[in-house]
Amino acid sequence: MSPSAERPFTLVHPGGERIAGLMHETHTDPVGLFLPGFAAHMEGSKSQRLARYAQTQGWSWVRFDPRGVGRSDGLFEALTLSRYLADLQLILQMLGKRPVLLVGSSMGGWLGTIAAARWPERIRALLLIAPAYNFIQEIFQRLPVDEQRAWRDNNLRCWEDTYGLGTLRMRFDLVTDSWNHDLLRFPPCLHGPVEILHGSADEAVPLSSSYQFAARAHAPQLAIRPLPGINHRLQGADTVLLRSLHALWTHIS
């Protein structure tokens, strides 16, 4: 990707914290927008691959770092879904009334689904990559009772990330906030086309979770594409990913 293909931008929350992003602008609709997974940033391999493809197709495309990650301000330990959604809302405000095709990976898929239900007039289509619905609650519930109590009492927990991100520090606010976004207990209404790509060999989020979500959601245009032998990072499924993206883009453009 040439250096001039994407332009950096900075948006500022009312409290002063900045979020940083990159945009490939063609002044045509729709706009593609990528939400990475938990602790991931806009320089990840999937984020870059999608941005490169958008450039070759002549599409407008946005990627950004939520607060506490990458180039954006803030502490990662302050992450909650509501905080991430506030960052996304700032991006949508920047884009005015332009229709958005949102691609969300893992936790980004959970957030993207919430956003599509909240702002249906803006988010016209969803491509979800192994969406990690309710994974925060599940992490908490799998802990021994004494560790649950310690996290709640101390409002902080540290653990080693299995994907090589090192030691992560998370406040208990992440857990309490996540219950407000339980999409299995409170199924969303999704009006646009939704496609879920999910590997059968996903070691982090089982394929069955996508079927559980689909059985509950009010989404007449939802399709699940299971990918045999593919893991959580969707390694080896680039062609499927880009074909699905292109089909959704054609559908709404």
Side-chain angles (χ1 to χ4, degrees), residues 53 57 59 127 241-251:
Y53 184 74
Q57 299 301 310
W59 299 342
L127 179 57
L241 171 62
L242 297 180
R243 283 178 180 169
S244 293
L245 175 63
H246 202 110
L248 283 173
W249 194 280
T250 301
H251 184 85

Side-chain angles (χ1 to χ4, degrees), residues 38-60:
F38 180 75
H41 50 75
M42 63 179 171
E43 298 298 344
S45 58
K46 199 177 289 100
S47 179
Q48 293 193 58
R49 187 177 305 116
L50 291 167
R52 283 195 299 268
Y53 184 74
Q55 181 189 346
T56 65
Q57 299 301 310
W59 299 342
S60 295

Side-chain angles (χ1 to χ4, degrees), residues 7-113:
R7 299 293 185 184
F9 66 84
T10 302
L11 301 176
V12 184
H13 279 281
E17 287 186 316
R18 301 168 299 171
I19 58 174
L22 294 167
M23 182 171 187
H24 178 231
E25 176 63 276
T26 64
H27 303 286
T28 57
D29 291 334
V31 181
L33 175 59
F34 180 65
L35 297 181
F38 180 75
H41 50 75
M42 63 179 171
E43 298 298 344
S45 58
K46 199 177 289 100
S47 179
Q48 293 193 58
R49 187 177 305 116
L50 291 167
R52 283 195 299 268
Y53 184 74
Q55 181 189 346
T56 65
Q57 299 301 310
W59 299 342
S60 295
W61 194 267
V62 174
R63 51 184 171 136
F64 73 99
D65 288 331
R67 280 174 290 175
V69 174
R71 306 178 197 174
S72 294
D73 290 346
L75 297 173
F76 177 71
E77 67 186 54
L79 172 71
T80 64
L81 273 76
S82 293
R83 181 178 170 90
Y84 199 152
L85 286 165
D87 293 344
L88 175 56
Q89 185 173 20
L90 208 58
I91 298 290
L92 294 176
Q93 290 170 353
M94 175 189 76
L95 297 176
K97 296 183 178 181
R98 299 170 71 179
V100 172
L101 190 163
L102 195 151
V103 182
S105 176
S106 194
M107 181 179 177
W110 184 6
L111 287 155
T113 305

